[in-house]
Amino acid sequence: MPAFVTLQPRFPFGGLTFSSRVDALIRQDLLDPLPYVRRHICGDWGDVRAEHRRYNDAALELGGYLLSSYTICDGLDLCIFTEADRGLTAVFLLDEY
């Protein structure tokens, strides 16, 4: 029987908002951002650099914003940003930043 690991959220993410370009990709069935949002709130920061990974880990304990980035395919990078007060999480494309 395979062992399953259940990732638990590590912080509240407040409201969830999508940029207009992410929303357009969702409506065209070209992108499902929810698995990446789940990874983000479970502390899987994706493809961010090591120093930003350390910043995120510290921000979980000390407060501060959280930023994740995930390469979906060549030329398409999804970013997820949670405000320091955890009131809002925004999903956008890297080139919109």
Side-chain angles (χ1 to χ4, degrees):
M1 179 175 248
F4 292 97
V5 176
T6 302
L7 297 176
Q8 296 297 317
R10 296 182 67 191
F11 59 91
F13 62 94
L16 185 61
T17 185
F18 301 105
S19 72
S20 59
R21 288 183 52 209
V22 168
D23 184 60
L25 291 170
I26 293 167
R27 291 177 187 275
Q28 296 170 42
D29 285 330
L30 297 174
L31 176 65
D32 178 5
L34 295 182
Y36 301 98
V37 171
R38 177 149 179 81
R39 286 176 62 183
H40 174 75
I41 64 173
C42 290
D44 173 355
W45 313 124
D47 303 314
V48 297
R49 295 181 300 196
E51 60 267 18
H52 206 95
R53 195 174 298 279
R54 288 190 296 272
Y55 172 86
N56 282 347
D57 290 338
L60 284 175
E61 300 299 320
L62 305 172
Y65 71 87
L66 300 164
L67 177 68
S68 297
S69 178
Y70 308 93
T71 300
I72 307 302
C73 63
D74 192 32
L76 184 63
D77 296 290
L78 188 70
C79 295
I80 303 175
F81 178 88
T82 300
E83 294 179 342
D85 68 1
R86 308 298 186 256
L88 182 69
T89 295
V91 181
F92 56 95
L93 301 180
L94 179 61
D95 62 4
E96 295 179 294
Y97 181 67

